[in-house]
C-alpha cells in the first residue's frame, strides 16, 4: 500500500465519521388525532456519545501518522482500527434508537401510540467512514514503518547528534554576532561543525 492514498483514504473516512455522527441517524413521525404530524430525529452523538469521541480520536491519529515513524506509527494504526471498529458496530446497531426517538417525540408533545421510524443517510456515511478508516488503519499497522517519515532536519539539532553513540552535540553559535557571521558565510548556524 502507498502512503499518500492510504492517508487520504483514512482522513476522508475519519472526516465522514465526525460529520456523520454529528448528524441525525434515526428519525420518526407520529400522528395524534386532532394534532399535526410530529417529526423528530436523534443524532449519532445522542445515541452513542462514545462514537463521536472516537471519531475525533481517529481523525487526530491520522494527523499524528504524518509526524511519527516506526512502531509508534504502527501503534497508531492499531488505535485507528480499534476506534473505527467501535464506531462501525455502533453505526450498524445504534444503542437505544427506539427509546431515543420516543423521548424526542415526547419532548414535542407526543403522548404515545404508533410511530413511523426511519433511518437517516448520515448513519451510512458514518458507517462507510469507519470502514474506510479501518482499511487505512490496517495498512498503516502493516506497512507504516516502511513509509517515508519527516526528515532528520526536523529534529532538534542537539537531539539528532546526541542520539549517536560517541558523538557530542554540535556547537551552536551563541551570540547574535556569531549567528549573523555564520549566515553571511552561507552556513546554517544551527548545524555548526557539520559537513
Amino acid at each position: 500500500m502507498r502512503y499518500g492514498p492510504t492517508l487520504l483514504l483514512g482522513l476522508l473516512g475519519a472526516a465522514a465519521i465526525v460529520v456523520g455522527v454529528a448528524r441525525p441517524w434515526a428519525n420518526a413521525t407520529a400522528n395524534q388525532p386532532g394534532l399535526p404530524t410530529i417529526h423528530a430525529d436523534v443524532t449519532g452523538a445522542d445515541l452513542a456519545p462514545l462514537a463521536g469521541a472516537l471519531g475525533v480520536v481517529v481523525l487526530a491519529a491520522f494527523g499524528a501518522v504524518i509526524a511519527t515513524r516506526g512502531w509508534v506509527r504502527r501503534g497508531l494504526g492499531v488505535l485507528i482500527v480499534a476506534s473505527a471498529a467501535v464506531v462501525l458496530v455502533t453505526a450498524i446497531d445504534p444503542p437505544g434508537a427506539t427509546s431515543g426517538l420516543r423521548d424526542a417525540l415526547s419532548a414535542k408533545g407526543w403522548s404515545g401510540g404508533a410511530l413511523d421510524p426511519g433511518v437517516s443517510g448520515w448513519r451510512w456515511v458514518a458507517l462507510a467512514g469507519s470502514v474506510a478508516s479501518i482499511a487505512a488503519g490496517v495498512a498503516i499497522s502493516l506497512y507504516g514503518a516502511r513509509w517515508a517519515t519527516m526528515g532528520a532536519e526536523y529534529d532538534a539539532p542537539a537531539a539528532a547528534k546526541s542520539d549517536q553513540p560517541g558523538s557530542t552535540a554540535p556547537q551552536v553559535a551563541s551570540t547574535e554576532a556569531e549567528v549573523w557571521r555564520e549566515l553571511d558565510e552561507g552556513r546554517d548556524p544551527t548545524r555548526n561543525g557539520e559537513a
Side-chain angles (χ1 to χ4, degrees), residues 13-161:
I17 291 172
V18 171
V19 171
V21 169
R23 299 289 192 267
W25 275 14
N27 52 53
T29 56
N31 293 310
Q32 303 243 140
L35 294 174
T37 302
I38 301 171
H39 301 279
D41 53 43
V42 288
T43 66
D46 293 335
L47 297 175
L50 181 62
L54 290 177
V56 175
V57 168
V58 171
L59 188 60
F62 277 114
V65 164
I66 298 168
T68 57
R69 61 178 79 134
W71 65 269
V72 175
R73 184 179 278 176
R74 296 179 87 168
L76 285 170
V78 172
L79 174 66
I80 289 166
V81 170
S83 299
V86 172
V87 176
L88 176 68
V89 169
T90 303
I92 290 172
D93 185 22
T98 304
S99 63
L101 286 171
R102 289 181 184 278
D103 291 343
L105 287 170
S106 295
K108 293 186 175 187
W110 182 64
S111 59
L115 61 92
D116 184 22
V119 176
S120 169
W122 289 108
R123 180 172 149 201
W124 302 112
V125 169
L127 194 142
S130 61
V131 170
S133 295
I134 289 170
V138 167
I140 290 168
S141 63
L142 293 176
Y143 308 110
R146 300 183 211 153
W147 291 339
T149 60
M150 292 174 66
E153 64 268 11
Y154 296 107
D155 292 338
K161 280 292 189 184

Side-chain angles (χ1 to χ4, degrees), residues 172-181:
V172 177
S174 59
T175 67
E176 187 175 340
E178 290 173 352
V179 170
W180 284 110
R181 186 173 33 254

